[in-house]
Amino acid sequence: MFKKIMKGGKKPSKSDSADPPPAAYAGNNRNSSAAGSANVVVNHASRGGAGASVANSAAAMPPPVGAMEPLPLFRDVPVSERQNMFLRKFQMCCYALDFSDTLKNVREKEIKRQALMDLVDFIQSGSGKISENCQEEMIRMISVNIFRCLPPASHENTGQEPADPEEEEPCLDPAWPHLQLVYELLLRYVVSSDTDTKVAKRYIDHSFVLKLLDLFDTEDPREREYLKTILHRIYGKFMVHRPFIRKAINNIFYRFIYETERHSGIGELLEILGSIINGFALPMKEEHKLFLVRALLPLHKPKSVAVYHQQLSYCITQFVEKDFKLADTVIRGLLKYWPLTNCQKEVLFLGELEEVLEATQAAEFQRCMVPLFRQISRCLNSSHFQVAERALFLWNNEHIVSLIAQNRTVILPIIFEAFEKNISSHWNQAVHGLTVNVRKMFVEMDAELFEECQRQHAEKLAKAKEEAEQRELKWKRLADAAAQNGVEDMVTT
């Protein structure tokens, strides 16, 4: 599943001090002075912050007439002139162009595109080491282009709930043909073996990382994919940034869970974390356990959990596989955030629960089995057939069946009534058939226990019937007394 998420990443190291390098490339860094010189701010709290727009306009001015002229390719320039050509191309690519109008600055756009392509090709070829001065200018140019005010989300200012990204057309940035080249340049710089990490971290600093994280809220999935790969490679190459990156991602999650419940890049951030968690060393640090309890488990709460649930489930399961003692904490966390009225979320939770139970040992299972099977019992009787069906599918898992068999004396009395209700009254034939099969498993597992549960259930039904009859009798007596008193009152009057 992880290969599907991260698309071919390396297997990470087992030590936390060497958390896994990201899945696609290997990379480099940038300096706060470059960030300062670019003076670009992305206001995460407000996608259209005034401060950000002022800074952006100051950093990336539109080109004066005649300022952008084609520059020769690097292969046509003597080696001694290439550093100077680098600076000229970076400076030219700092000019801002209006991509909202396809007919505006057509010539300038093509000149800039050619310059960016030539820069990407040269860095990718590894034809020569880039001077520190050129690296600073390159990061300044990259900052000017990518750190910008994101357009308002499609659901903002409409009063509507954000739609499911899988059901609506993604919002695509018209400037992407140029932005893609800028991101590719940054990626090639980060992964290049010629990039000196000690030099690069002067430019790819905490400020730069924070601005990258702010951009994860873009609605353009192509940009989020590049951001995911680049941030992952930065995490892998710059060990000094690792605690800061984890903390910054935590803060994004906290804001999403407890304030906005709106963010476009939660899934991509969880994909990065899936690889990071895979590389945690054992025994696991308390910091990582707190992250599980305070950030990952509460991510089950938002309405939009279905959008990123696959990545979230992978991260949660990774924790349990790393440290099986966390199974009780995870299962109780799932029960805490269990949906009450959203059947589709219940189906997701049951699927995740199966993955967690697959990695759960007997001792941890025993700690949480009573509240767990009370919830499963409610799911078995759900009038939504997909919920009931998914709950019954838990008995298709051999490991879960073995855990249930070891603790059947506790579990069967909890869920026996749910089986009987399904057999006698559930409207869906598939659920009815599956219930019969699971019930038969318990008969074969322990016939004596099953008969005892059946006897207790029959006694319970008889007692409930007797109580209902007594209640009806009392109501009848009250009604008769009320009627008699009513007649007497009328005669007296």
Side-chain angles (χ1 to χ4, degrees):
M1 173 179 168
F2 178 67
K3 290 182 179 177
K4 180 179 179 182
I5 292 177
M6 294 308 304
K7 297 182 180 176
K10 292 181 181 178
K11 186 174 182 180
S13 163
K14 293 295 180 184
S15 70
D16 184 60
S17 62
D19 283 337
Y25 305 88
N28 223 332
N29 227 314
R30 163 194 180 226
N31 171 342
S32 55
S33 66
S37 64
N39 194 26
V40 180
V41 178
V42 175
N43 188 337
H44 186 64
S46 172
R47 298 170 71 102
S53 59
V54 171
N56 230 20
S57 62
M61 300 297 292
V65 177
M68 295 183 69
E69 295 296 333
L71 295 174
L73 300 176
F74 284 111
R75 65 170 180 261
D76 300 330
V77 174
V79 175
S80 59
E81 295 293 324
R82 285 180 178 175
Q83 297 297 326
N84 183 48
M85 183 59 64
F86 257 115
L87 293 175
R88 291 177 63 190
K89 292 198 175 192
F90 289 143
Q91 290 163 2
M92 183 178 69
C93 291
C94 283
Y95 287 122
L97 301 172
D98 183 6
F99 286 88
S100 61
D101 185 351
T102 56
L103 300 178
K104 191 174 181 181
N105 300 123
V106 176
R107 177 176 176 273
E108 287 80 0
K109 288 174 185 175
E110 181 59 23
I111 291 172
K112 183 177 179 180
R113 189 182 71 84
Q114 292 292 343
L116 288 169
M117 288 178 63
D118 196 31
L119 287 167
V120 171
D121 290 342
F122 185 80
I123 290 179
Q124 186 174 359
S125 68
S127 301
K129 197 169 183 178
I130 308 172
S131 70
E132 188 172 337
N133 187 34
C134 286
Q135 291 182 52
E136 182 174 3
E137 281 300 307
M138 177 170 61
I139 296 299
R140 188 180 80 85
M141 183 275 290
I142 290 170
S143 300
V144 164
N145 280 275
I146 67 173
F147 297 145
R148 65 208 189 279
C149 288
L150 298 174
S154 56
H155 57 264
E156 287 183 10
N157 303 321
T158 64
Q160 299 177 349
E161 288 294 319
D164 186 343
E166 295 181 358
E167 295 181 1
E168 68 170 7
E169 288 295 321
C171 182
L172 303 179
D173 194 322
W176 180 246
H178 281 216
L179 283 175
Q180 180 181 11
L181 292 171
V182 177
Y183 276 116
E184 189 67 28
L185 182 64
L186 174 59
L187 178 59
R188 295 302 167 187
Y189 171 69
V190 169
V191 306
S192 174
S193 58
D194 293 327
T195 302
D196 186 343
T197 306
K198 292 181 181 178
V199 174
K201 70 181 180 182
R202 300 174 193 169
Y203 309 110
I204 300 181
D205 57 2
H206 287 180
S207 173
F208 187 89
V209 168
L210 276 179
K211 291 171 187 175
L212 278 181
L213 284 167
D214 283 335
L215 290 172
F216 272 85
D217 201 17
T218 177
E219 288 195 82
D220 193 325
R222 302 168 300 181
E223 185 169 8
R224 294 200 304 271
E225 192 67 23
Y226 262 99
L227 287 164
K228 178 186 73 177
T229 303
I230 291 168
L231 184 66
H232 199 182
R233 299 319 300 170
I234 289 173
Y235 186 93
K237 192 160 189 175
F238 300 98
M239 292 178 61
V240 69
H241 289 338
R242 290 179 181 180
F244 178 80
I245 291 174
R246 292 197 300 267
K247 186 175 180 180
I249 293 176
N250 280 6
N251 290 337
I252 292 175
F253 287 166
Y254 295 151
R255 179 176 170 80
F256 170 70
I257 296 163
Y258 300 111
E259 295 182 29
T260 65
E261 287 200 9
R262 291 177 176 179
H263 195 285
S264 300
I266 299 299
E268 284 79 7
L269 292 172
L270 286 169
E271 288 180 27
I272 296 171
L273 286 169
S275 176
I276 293 173
I277 294 165
N278 189 267
F280 283 164
L282 295 176
M284 199 174 290
K285 292 180 181 178
E286 194 63 28
E287 167 204 343
H288 303 327
K289 295 178 183 178
L290 288 174
F291 166 66
L292 169 66
V293 173
R294 295 179 179 177
L296 284 186
L297 287 172
L299 276 173
H300 291 85
K301 181 182 177 182
K303 294 178 183 178
S304 57
V305 63
V307 175
Y308 54 81
H309 184 264
Q310 182 184 7
Q311 296 93 328
L312 176 60
S313 178
Y314 176 78
C315 290
I316 295 289
T317 308
Q318 282 291 297
F319 267 101
V320 180
E321 290 179 352
K322 277 280 177 183
D323 185 353
F324 62 85
K325 293 180 181 179
L326 292 172
D328 176 48
T329 301
V330 167
I331 291 172
R332 290 181 183 274
L334 286 173
L335 296 176
K336 178 180 178 180
Y337 296 104
W338 200 275
L340 299 177
T341 58
N342 189 324
C343 295
Q344 294 305 321
K345 280 181 69 172
E346 276 199 278
V347 173
L348 293 176
F349 274 51
L350 286 164
E352 181 177 353
L353 181 62
E354 181 174 355
E355 291 187 18
V356 172
L357 287 173
E358 182 71 42
T360 302
Q361 302 300 316
E364 284 65 42
F365 180 78
Q366 289 170 359
R367 293 193 187 101
C368 61
M369 63 184 177
V370 172
L372 171 61
F373 277 88
R374 284 176 180 159
Q375 180 59 59
I376 290 175
S377 178
R378 288 190 284 271
C379 292
L380 290 171
N381 288 148
S382 174
S383 58
H384 194 293
F385 81 96
Q386 288 179 332
V387 175
E389 194 174 56
R390 190 63 187 83
L392 289 161
F393 283 159
L394 293 174
W395 274 267
N396 288 342
N397 188 301
E398 292 183 8
H399 180 69
I400 296 175
V401 170
S402 69
L403 291 173
I404 292 172
Q406 294 169 37
N407 301 277
R408 59 187 178 275
T409 55
V410 176
I411 293 171
L412 184 56
I414 296 174
I415 60 177
F416 186 86
E417 185 176 351
F419 291 152
E420 298 303 304
K421 282 184 180 179
N422 275 2
I423 290 172
S424 63
S425 60
H426 202 285
W427 66 271
N428 186 273
Q429 287 302 312
V431 171
H432 186 278
L434 287 169
T435 304
V436 170
N437 292 338
V438 174
R439 187 173 178 270
K440 185 179 178 182
M441 288 175 66
F442 278 102
V443 174
E444 295 172 352
M445 197 181 293
D446 193 332
E448 187 177 339
L449 174 64
F450 187 87
E451 289 174 4
E452 176 62 21
C453 289
Q454 203 168 31
R455 184 187 63 77
Q456 291 178 3
H457 181 64
E459 288 180 358
K460 184 178 178 181
L461 288 178
K463 185 178 179 181
K465 184 178 180 181
E466 183 181 346
E467 288 175 352
E469 290 174 352
Q470 291 291 333
R471 190 163 51 249
E472 284 293 327
L473 183 59
K474 288 179 182 178
W475 276 110
K476 189 174 183 305
R477 288 173 181 171
L478 285 170
D480 292 343
Q484 186 176 358
N485 288 338
V487 171
E488 291 176 356
D489 291 342
M490 289 176 67
V491 171
T492 304
T493 302

